[in-house]
Amino acid sequence: MKEEQRSLLLRSSSQFPPPEGVKLSYGTSGFRADAGILQSTVYRVGILAALRALKTESVIGLMITASHNEVSDNGVKIADPNGGMLSQHWEPFADALANAQTPEHLLQLVDEFAESEGIALDGAKSVEILVGRDTRPSGSSLLEAAKLGIGSVIGAVALDMGILTTPQLHWIVRARNNGDKASEIDYFEQISSSFRLVLDGFDSKWEESNEVVDKLIVDGANGVGGQKLQVYKEVLELNGLVIEVRNTGLEGGVLNEGVGADFAQKEKVVPHGFGSQDFGSRCASLDGDADRLVYFTVLSESGNKIELVDGDKILSLFAVFIKEQLSILKNRDTKLGDDYPCCIGVVQTAYANGASTDFLKQQGLEVAFTPTGVKYLHEKAAHYDIGIYFEANGHGTILFSELFLSWLEATNNELSSVSKGSEQQKAALRLLAVSKLINQAVGDALSGMLLVEAILQHMGWSIHRWNELYHDLPSRQLKVKVVDRTAVVTANAETEVVKPPGIQEAINAETANYPKGRCFIRPSGTEDVIRVYAEASAQDEADRLAKSVANLVDKFLGVGSS
Ligand code: 16G
Ligand code: MG
């Protein structure tokens, strides 16, 4: 490392001492904590992003957000060149950097890491880091810290992209590295035009169906997703989708407080701003940075309960639709080129409702499981030609392999010369349009919502019809405060505890008391708790099973236990 670089890093890092007595970890999806202690972490992630850009010789993203956490929290994460999550192989370095106690230690870590990764810190290359943030008030001062971190690596330049949803930043990074048009406007142009294309390929069955079709009402979680939708909804309305946005945050509500996808999914009650007047309507809820999406309806004209249509149902809708298009394509009578043995797979986590997994398997689909966290699901889904992944909490997308897309392009070209306008050609066009509509970088509530809307129109389905695809098994989630959550180590996509010894056997014994019972525990990646999930054939059984397993956790590891 050149002397100039050395003294720049020492000088700037001395302005950002780490918070005392706090150990930070990159976690499931970046660093998250109370915004008041994050200046030094965000500064250091700026350095990390600059190193990553130098290593990959590509544009890198840095997003300042804490998703569905309360407004006083914030966080930071990195988008890799392909728009995906930071390579897991760099996470230990991220942890070490965030926790370095002195500027000298930080310098040493950078020096050693750059050496081992073969990153030349000689200022010879110039790289860009795109910095985005959500609407949190702490975002702008943390942005300055990120810029200083980036600027302390010679050759790295920070570009402030302003307020964006997390998936928008990931999309922009990916598009930039692919040499495509890559502004926020380009993002909206792409998703709204491909939404129109998907719809053009369909004969909407809504007109002929007896289902009541109304506008879509969206809960924006008082965050960035609501704001963006409010600004761009006219574009979408031009394309035939009527949207009413509530909780944009512009009317004074607090981010994620009694609103948003996480609230709706966990509490199963109406978000603020919704109520009996919405009985029967099709409603959707985004989370604080708009990478999660759930749908719901208000259950009755009195009371505040909702019927949740979660990520598992979105996954099932997408899977049914994609399968339908593939089978239309397969039936083409013109013998055109080689048949492509398209390998389609769906990816879920242990939180997926058992009824959804049964449904997907009945559809003849291959279902794979990974631990919680988008980085795991995404990686697995990328193994398929069409990989559909969703967490029950609403985070997911559809990935198309390059190979499959080129086959599809070629097939579409051939079909359009031989049988233009045929059902087969329309199916090819629809799949191509879907691959442009749905975010290929990461799960995206806005683009996911447009695809749901397009498919519902195509099927002529109301939200109630969609929800009838299968009936969820009753479930219950609880969390238990423990002394040290890292004491719990799991295996088999978090369905089995391997440490501490004895607890899995105790969970098995408890679960055996319930005929359709299923239960697992896992350490949270975002909070200092152990999470408990239980499923059974009746709600009171699921409640009892969760409660007794939570007691077991408390006995083995709880704050009160020694
Ligand atoms: C993060 C993850 C989400 C996961 C959740 C689990 C990303 C982008 N987000 O929000 O996928 O479901 O953490 O939280 O990966 P937990 O570990 O606290 O249960
Ligand atoms: Mg989120």
Side-chain angles (χ1 to χ4, degrees), residues 192-206 236-241 321 426 429-430 433-434 437 450-459:
S192 61
S193 64
S194 41
F195 171 68
R196 192 181 50 231
L197 269 178
V198 177
L199 281 177
D200 280 351
F202 293 158
D203 311 311
S204 170
K205 294 179 191 147
W206 265 0
L236 300 172
E237 280 178 5
L238 283 179
N239 290 321
L241 178 63
F321 171 73
K426 281 193 200 159
L429 266 181
R430 272 174 214 141
V434 170
L437 167 56
L450 295 188
L451 184 56
V452 168
E453 291 298 309
I455 299 176
L456 291 180
Q457 278 206 32
H458 166 63
M459 302 283 202

Side-chain angles (χ1 to χ4, degrees), residues 32 65-68 77 166 287-292 395:
R32 262 185 225 178
T65 178
S67 183
H68 57 280
K77 61 180 165 186
T166 298
D287 77 336
D289 63 337
D291 62 359
R292 286 195 202 175
H395 196 138

Side-chain angles (χ1 to χ4, degrees), residues 302-553:
S302 57
N304 62 355
K305 292 258 184 303
I306 59 169
E307 177 87 68
L308 184 75
V309 184
D310 64 1
D312 299 339
K313 279 261 161 72
I314 299 175
L315 166 60
S316 302
L317 182 75
F318 287 178
V320 164
F321 171 73
I322 298 270
K323 266 201 71 191
E324 184 186 285
Q325 303 314 308
L326 286 175
S327 70
I328 296 175
L329 249 186
K330 222 181 161 122
N331 282 340
R332 63 187 193 283
D333 36 296
T334 33
K335 189 76 195 108
L336 290 163
D338 292 332
D339 258 343
Y340 186 90
C342 172
C343 175
I344 169 171
V346 295
V347 188
Q348 300 192 299
T349 72
Y351 285 112
N353 195 281
S356 75
T357 310
D358 288 348
F359 172 80
L360 292 161
K361 287 186 175 161
Q362 277 158 20
Q363 303 296 306
L365 289 158
E366 180 179 321
V367 186
F369 286 88
T370 71
T372 303
V374 168
K375 57 189 176 193
Y376 302 115
L377 289 109
H378 192 96
E379 193 179 34
K380 183 75 194 168
H383 289 138
Y384 299 99
D385 289 312
I386 304 181
I388 317 175
Y389 72 86
F390 261 89
E391 292 189 313
N393 62 22
H395 196 138
T397 193
I398 310 176
L399 300 183
F400 291 84
S401 75
E402 288 299 328
L403 211 61
F404 177 68
L405 285 179
S406 11
W407 176 83
L408 202 56
E409 289 273 7
T411 305
N412 178 48
N413 288 341
E414 287 181 77
L415 283 169
S416 56
S417 63
V418 184
S419 56
K420 199 170 172 57
S422 66
E423 273 312 304
Q424 287 75 20
Q425 198 235 334
K426 281 193 200 159
L429 266 181
R430 272 174 214 141
L431 286 171
L432 284 170
V434 170
S435 76
K436 298 210 173 67
L437 167 56
I438 197 86
N439 197 324
Q440 296 294 288
V442 78
D444 180 343
L446 297 181
S447 79
M449 189 177 86
L450 295 188
L451 184 56
V452 168
E453 291 298 309
I455 299 176
L456 291 180
Q457 278 206 32
H458 166 63
M459 302 283 202
W461 284 1
S462 66
I463 186 168
H464 309 286
R465 170 64 188 84
W466 168 24
N467 197 32
E468 288 294 309
L469 279 179
Y470 59 84
H471 294 278
D472 277 330
L473 282 167
S475 66
R476 175 64 60 206
Q477 283 195 52
L478 295 174
K479 54 182 178 184
V480 186
K481 274 227 167 296
V482 292
V483 182
D484 175 16
R485 69 180 149 139
T486 62
V488 172
V489 179
T490 63
N492 286 341
E494 300 179 323
T495 54
E496 228 179 279
V497 186
V498 285
K499 268 193 209 157
I503 193 164
Q504 186 60 51
E505 288 72 15
I507 295 172
N508 292 348
E510 196 54 47
T511 311
N513 296 328
Y514 301 85
K516 279 198 167 174
R518 183 170 74 89
C519 185
F520 68 89
I521 67 167
R522 56 174 282 275
S524 158
T526 63
E527 271 183 75
D528 224 358
V529 295
I530 297 294
R531 300 206 189 278
V532 177
Y533 176 91
E535 211 171 80
S537 46
Q539 189 61 55
D540 62 327
E541 290 180 6
D543 293 349
R544 277 209 311 278
L545 177 56
K547 186 86 189 66
S548 43
V549 170
N551 288 340
L552 276 174
V553 173

Side-chain angles (χ1 to χ4, degrees), residues 36-56:
I37 65 161
L38 275 177
Q39 287 281 338
S40 96
T41 315
V42 175
Y43 161 79
R44 289 152 190 237
V45 174
I47 299 176
L48 180 77
L51 295 176
R52 187 82 189 136
L54 284 171
K55 165 82 188 179
T56 57

Side-chain angles (χ1 to χ4, degrees), residues 108-383:
Q108 186 196 344
L109 285 171
V110 171
D111 217 358
E112 286 170 6
F113 188 72
E115 171 93 37
S116 71
E117 288 286 324
I119 303 167
L121 289 173
D122 53 9
K125 279 184 212 145
S126 159
V127 284
E128 283 176 352
I129 291 89
L130 311 184
V131 186
R133 62 189 169 97
D134 69 15
T135 54
R136 284 161 205 272
S138 55
S140 51
S141 81
L142 290 174
L143 176 91
E144 294 309 316
K147 281 193 194 160
L148 281 169
I150 293 165
S152 64
V153 176
I154 298 172
V157 179
L159 288 185
D160 180 0
M161 306 300 288
I163 291 178
L164 291 173
T165 72
T166 298
Q168 280 182 323
L169 182 73
H170 284 257
W171 185 95
I172 290 171
V173 167
R174 181 184 167 90
R176 276 291 288 270
N177 286 315
N178 284 347
D180 297 336
K181 290 203 272 175
S183 67
E184 184 182 10
I185 306 215
D186 296 321
Y187 166 89
F188 273 106
E189 268 175 16
Q190 174 160 330
I191 67 167
S192 61
S193 64
S194 41
F195 171 68
R196 192 181 50 231
L197 269 178
V198 177
L199 281 177
D200 280 351
F202 293 158
D203 311 311
S204 170
K205 294 179 191 147
W206 265 0
E207 288 104 43
E208 52 198 75
S209 102
N210 292 326
E211 304 277 10
V212 181
V213 178
D214 203 355
K215 64 182 176 217
L216 169 68
I217 311 174
V218 181
D219 158 26
N222 290 323
V224 57
Q227 277 189 19
K228 298 290 178 195
L229 208 50
Q230 188 63 20
V231 174
Y232 286 95
K233 80 187 180 102
E234 278 81 19
V235 182
L236 300 172
E237 280 178 5
L238 283 179
N239 290 321
L241 178 63
V242 184
I243 303 179
E244 179 187 338
V245 194
R246 298 188 193 159
N247 303 328
T248 60
L250 301 169
E251 319 92 356
V254 178
L255 176 71
N256 297 332
E257 200 174 283
V259 293
D262 193 62
F263 173 82
Q265 192 230 355
K266 297 237 165 73
E267 307 298 329
K268 298 206 174 74
V269 297
V270 284
H272 181 77
F274 288 74
S276 52
Q277 74 278 13
D278 303 310
F279 173 61
S281 298
R282 194 170 71 259
C283 306
S285 197
L286 320 175
D287 77 336
D289 63 337
D291 62 359
R292 286 195 202 175
L293 169 73
V294 294
Y295 273 70
F296 66 90
T297 52
V298 179
L299 262 182
S300 65
E301 282 169 87
S302 57
N304 62 355
K305 292 258 184 303
I306 59 169
E307 177 87 68
L308 184 75
V309 184
D310 64 1
D312 299 339
K313 279 261 161 72
I314 299 175
L315 166 60
S316 302
L317 182 75
F318 287 178
V320 164
F321 171 73
I322 298 270
K323 266 201 71 191
E324 184 186 285
Q325 303 314 308
L326 286 175
S327 70
I328 296 175
L329 249 186
K330 222 181 161 122
N331 282 340
R332 63 187 193 283
D333 36 296
T334 33
K335 189 76 195 108
L336 290 163
D338 292 332
D339 258 343
Y340 186 90
C342 172
C343 175
I344 169 171
V346 295
V347 188
Q348 300 192 299
T349 72
Y351 285 112
N353 195 281
S356 75
T357 310
D358 288 348
F359 172 80
L360 292 161
K361 287 186 175 161
Q362 277 158 20
Q363 303 296 306
L365 289 158
E366 180 179 321
V367 186
F369 286 88
T370 71
T372 303
V374 168
K375 57 189 176 193
Y376 302 115
L377 289 109
H378 192 96
E379 193 179 34
K380 183 75 194 168
H383 289 138

